[in-house]
């Protein structure tokens, strides 16, 4: 059966808010070898994730240059949690940087790989006795989040007759006249109490080294002010004989995913107009992605990641370190003057351009709203993060010989038995309607998109992870976990 795009209602191509991603050359090299890609899909099923860990080297190098430029003592830790593939850990190990682990399996895997325990930090949100015992036996630095963990860590260290090093996670920073909430850590104005409890309970088997914080959102000013505020606490503690060697500011360094600021602004404008019924829907069932209409007013706020940024990766870090405290001193000056080591844990930003996700087209149909639905052999959990939607245009790899060269629009839907299993909530522009067997490539998915919420519901297999071996122009892929 031949489908005709003219049969469906569609937006004008000129009006449609495209979101064209930045794409690394290695991805184009891979996609150009479509017959090899088809063989890998046939062998491993759909979808597959393709990784190029060599890009991690470049990304970490960009952060290193900024830290050297500002002359601060520093250590970089690769945040393990955004992607489960061990190839990235191997690459980080070859760079001789640290690794931030968030579970027993992550920690055990890094130790088994031969990672130097002195270069591992444990920041897991939940730490039970089993996990803390692994850390203590291997002398891995632990970031403490609460009093229960503090007591448990000392108990385990005493059991193994050792002195365990730890850091304290901090929250409650002030910014623009407000306390910034975080569920992680101790309040900054209660840190005296923490050390009093350590002394009172005679926690003699643990040794404090430094402070750590986790901040939601993407404000450079907040991170700079947090560093300033924690340094003030550090100086007060020093008078009491409590020395601090480092501040770990975690991650949250933004990524620039999109080429065009104009496209990004146009998308947000059209989304708001669509929610207010002043423009044709550009999302599935006119989902506002955080915005909503109430009594003819637009309410809510964007629930999606800022996919276009002018401050990103190393520029984001540079802005923090250049932030002025008072008239003359920068954050970098404060860190150096206090003889502190600055630690960072980039995750998403360290994986920028490192991976792609490819799925096979299973069907095409027109729904009751006269929209195209393109069924893919994958599900929404295989391209899902905490953001409201993944807002990048995919690349289509066409295999057929006869296509109607009529542009059209539609939605990708997945293989879960859920009405809401749309791979992307955004309506996508197709230069020509995909056919069964064509491949859809979602780019720049290594950081938090592939694995963070991936599920085996319906007993569907998890996506296979394949790593580019050698030169991607001669496409050879090896299997990861």
């Amino acid at each position: 059966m031949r489908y005709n795009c003219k049969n469906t209602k569609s937006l004008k191509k000129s009006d449609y808010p495209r979101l064209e991603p930045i794409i690394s050359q290695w991805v184009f090299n891979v996609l150009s070898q479509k017959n090899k890609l088809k063989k890998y899909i046939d062998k491993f099923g759909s979808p597959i994730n393709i990784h190029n860990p060599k890009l991690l080297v470049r990304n970490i190098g960009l952060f290193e240059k900024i830290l050297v430029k500002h002359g601060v003592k520093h250590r970089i830790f690769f945040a393990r949690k955004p992607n489960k593939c061990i190839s990235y850990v191997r690459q980080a190990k070859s760079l001789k940087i640290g690794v931030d682990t968030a579970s027993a399996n992550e920690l055990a895997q890094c130790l088994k790989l031969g990672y130097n325990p002195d270069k591992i930090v444990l920041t897991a949100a939940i730490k039970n006795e089993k996990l803390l015992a692994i850390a203590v036996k291997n002398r891995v630095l632990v970031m403490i989040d609460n009093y229960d963990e503090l007591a448990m860590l000392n108990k385990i260290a005493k059991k193994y007759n050792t002195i365990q090093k730890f850091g304290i996670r901090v929250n409650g920073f002030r910014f623009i006249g407000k306390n910034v909430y975080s569920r992680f850590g101790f309040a900054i104005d209660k840190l005296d109490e923490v050390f009093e409890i350590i002394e009172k309970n005679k926690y003699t088997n643990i040794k404090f080294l430094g402070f750590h914080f986790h901040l939601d959102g993407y404000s450079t000013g907040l991170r700079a002010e947090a560093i300033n505020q924690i340094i003030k606490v550090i100086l007060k503690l020093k008078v009491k004989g409590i020395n601090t060697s480092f501040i770990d500011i975690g991650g949250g360094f933004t990524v620039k995913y999109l080429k065009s600021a104009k496209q990004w602004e146009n998308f947000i404008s059209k989304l708001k107009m669509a929610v207010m019924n002043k423009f044709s829907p550009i999302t599935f069932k006119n989902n506002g992605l955080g915005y909503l209409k109430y009594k003819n007013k637009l309410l809510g706020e964007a629930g999606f990641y800022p996919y276009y940024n002018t401050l990103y990766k190393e520029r984001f870090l540079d802005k923090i370190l250049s932030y002025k405290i008072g008239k003359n001193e920068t954050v970098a000056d404060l860190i150096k003057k206090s003889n502190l080591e600055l630690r960072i844990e980039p995750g998403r930003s360290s994986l920028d351009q490192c991976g792609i996700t490819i799925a096979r087209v299973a069907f095409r149909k027109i729904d009751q709203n006269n929209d195209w639905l393109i069924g893919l052999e994958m599900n929404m959990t295989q391209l899902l993060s905490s953001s409201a939607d993944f807002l990048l245009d995919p690349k289509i790899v066409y295999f057929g010989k006869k296509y109607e060269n009529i542009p059209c629009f539609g939605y990708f839907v997945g293989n879960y038995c859920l009405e809401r299993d749309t791979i992307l909530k955004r309506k996508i522009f197709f230069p020509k309607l995909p056919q069964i067997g064509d491949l859809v490539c979602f780019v720049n998915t290594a950081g938090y998109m592939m694995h963070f919420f991936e599920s085996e519901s319906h007993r569907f297999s998890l996506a296979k992870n394949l790593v580019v071996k050698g030169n991607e122009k001669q496409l050879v892929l090896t299997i990861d976990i």
Side-chain angles (χ1 to χ4, degrees):
M1 177 181 177
R2 294 185 73 196
Y3 290 110
N4 191 328
C5 287
K6 288 182 177 177
N7 292 338
T8 65
K9 65 177 183 180
S10 65
L11 302 167
K12 292 180 182 178
K13 181 181 176 182
S14 58
D15 289 338
Y16 188 75
R18 302 288 303 279
L19 290 174
E20 297 173 273
I22 297 167
I23 303 177
S24 183
Q25 183 57 47
W26 77 267
V27 176
F28 290 113
N29 294 341
V30 167
L31 296 183
S32 69
Q33 301 170 74
K34 62 182 189 179
N35 289 325
K36 286 187 178 179
L37 280 178
K38 182 179 182 301
K39 288 179 180 178
Y40 282 112
I41 288 277
D42 289 343
K43 180 177 180 179
F44 293 108
S46 172
I48 56 172
N49 298 315
I50 301 179
H51 305 265
N52 193 343
K54 288 181 289 187
L55 275 294
L56 179 69
V57 178
R58 181 200 65 182
N59 292 329
I60 294 298
L62 293 172
F63 285 112
E64 181 73 28
K65 284 182 181 178
I66 293 301
L67 292 162
V68 170
K69 168 189 163 183
H70 286 277
V72 295
K73 289 193 296 183
H74 62 272
R75 291 184 73 176
I76 300 174
F77 292 79
F78 166 61
R80 182 78 183 87
K81 56 186 172 288
N83 193 288
K84 69 182 181 183
C85 287
I86 198 158
S87 296
Y88 294 114
V89 184
R90 290 194 180 101
Q91 191 71 74
K93 184 172 179 281
S94 75
L95 292 171
K96 299 181 180 179
I97 62 172
V99 62
D100 162 29
T101 60
S103 72
N105 287 340
E106 286 186 1
L107 177 55
Q109 190 184 61
C110 291
L111 290 167
K112 186 177 180 181
L113 194 65
Y115 230 106
N116 183 345
D118 189 51
K119 291 186 175 181
I120 303 175
V121 61
L122 176 64
T123 62
I126 300 293
K127 308 179 190 73
N128 58 22
E129 286 199 28
K130 178 183 176 182
L131 174 56
L132 289 177
I134 296 171
V136 170
K137 284 190 281 187
N138 291 279
R139 299 180 179 273
V140 170
L141 175 67
V142 178
M143 294 301 176
I144 290 297
D145 187 78
N146 52 70
Y147 288 118
D148 289 334
E149 287 181 0
L150 199 62
M152 196 186 307
L153 186 68
N154 187 73
K155 174 187 171 185
I156 294 169
K158 191 172 183 180
K159 175 183 175 182
Y160 289 102
N161 192 30
T162 188
I163 305 298
Q164 172 63 31
K165 54 191 177 181
F166 75 100
I168 294 175
R169 188 175 255 174
V170 184
N171 66 31
F173 298 104
R174 296 280 296 175
F175 186 59
I176 316 178
K178 295 180 180 179
N179 275 335
V180 179
Y181 177 82
S182 172
R183 77 176 183 94
F184 299 108
F186 297 89
I188 189 170
D189 58 0
K190 301 288 186 183
L191 291 178
D192 278 345
E193 180 183 293
V194 177
F195 289 101
E196 286 170 7
I197 285 175
I198 290 171
E199 186 176 351
K200 178 183 176 182
N201 288 286
K202 296 181 180 178
Y203 292 155
T204 55
N205 285 84
I206 54 177
K207 182 182 180 181
F208 168 74
L209 293 185
F211 290 107
H212 176 277
F213 58 75
H214 174 276
L215 294 174
D216 205 9
Y218 308 103
S219 167
T220 54
L222 169 57
R223 285 163 174 77
E225 289 293 346
I227 292 170
N228 179 38
Q229 289 166 43
I230 200 68
I231 286 177
K232 288 179 179 178
V233 172
I234 286 168
L235 294 176
K236 289 179 182 177
L237 290 172
K238 190 174 183 179
V239 174
K240 298 180 179 182
I242 300 168
N243 293 315
T244 305
S245 63
F246 70 80
I247 301 173
D248 188 332
I249 67 172
F253 306 104
T254 52
V255 171
K256 183 181 178 183
Y257 284 96
L258 296 171
K259 293 179 179 179
S260 169
K262 187 176 179 180
Q263 283 190 350
W264 182 236
E265 291 161 4
N266 182 43
F267 163 74
I268 294 173
S269 173
K270 291 293 195 301
L271 176 64
K272 292 177 179 178
M273 290 170 64
V275 170
M276 296 301 292
N277 301 316
K278 295 178 181 178
F279 192 77
S280 299
I282 62 171
T283 56
F284 191 68
K285 295 184 178 179
N286 205 18
N287 188 313
L289 307 181
Y291 296 109
L292 56 94
K293 180 183 178 182
Y294 180 72
K295 293 184 177 179
N296 214 33
K297 290 183 179 180
L298 183 71
L299 301 178
E301 58 185 20
F304 41 82
Y305 187 86
Y307 283 88
Y308 181 86
N309 290 287
T310 53
L311 279 176
Y312 52 90
K313 282 194 301 197
E314 78 282 4
R315 296 184 182 190
F316 191 97
L317 178 60
D318 189 35
K319 187 74 171 178
I320 295 170
L321 294 174
S322 302
Y323 186 94
K324 288 287 182 68
I325 302 294
K327 290 184 178 180
N328 300 313
E329 282 191 314
T330 64
V331 165
D333 293 332
L334 285 178
I335 293 169
K336 288 185 284 189
K337 189 169 72 173
S338 305
N339 195 29
L340 291 164
E341 180 180 78
L342 178 68
R343 298 185 175 187
I344 64 171
E345 298 166 359
R348 179 194 296 267
S349 54
S350 65
L351 295 173
D352 183 28
Q353 298 294 330
C354 285
I356 58 177
T357 299
I358 298 179
R360 184 164 49 199
V361 174
F363 70 78
R364 302 83 43 81
K365 71 176 182 180
I366 299 168
D367 72 3
Q368 293 135 296
N369 294 326
N370 216 23
D371 284 320
W372 280 106
L373 301 182
I374 311 298
L376 299 183
E377 295 177 18
M378 69 180 295
N379 62 69
M380 62 185 184
T381 74
Q382 292 169 315
L383 196 71
L384 182 65
S385 186
S386 56
S387 182
D389 200 17
F390 185 58
L391 298 174
L392 305 183
D393 289 348
K395 302 293 288 184
I396 313 295
V397 180
Y398 293 100
F399 282 89
K401 293 181 179 179
K402 293 183 179 180
Y403 291 89
E404 291 188 81
N405 291 315
I406 302 171
C408 55
F409 303 87
Y411 299 100
F412 292 119
V413 295
N415 56 20
Y416 276 177
C417 297
L418 293 171
E419 290 285 356
R420 66 187 185 93
D421 187 5
T422 52
I423 308 303
L424 302 177
K425 296 182 182 72
R426 189 167 65 93
K427 185 175 282 189
I428 298 300
F429 167 76
F430 304 111
K432 48 193 177 184
L433 184 68
Q435 295 181 3
I436 295 171
D438 288 343
L439 302 180
V440 179
C441 174
F442 303 98
V443 303
N444 211 353
T445 57
Y448 283 110
M449 295 307 305
M450 297 173 173
H451 303 140
F452 211 60
F453 290 108
E454 190 182 19
S455 166
E456 290 183 283
S457 184
H458 297 17
R459 297 301 301 146
F460 285 123
S461 298
L462 300 180
K464 289 293 188 294
N465 294 285
L466 307 176
V467 181
V468 173
K469 184 178 180 181
N471 189 333
E472 69 275 358
K473 291 182 180 180
Q474 305 296 323
L475 186 58
V476 176
L477 303 177
T478 59
I479 197 162
D480 201 294
I481 57 171

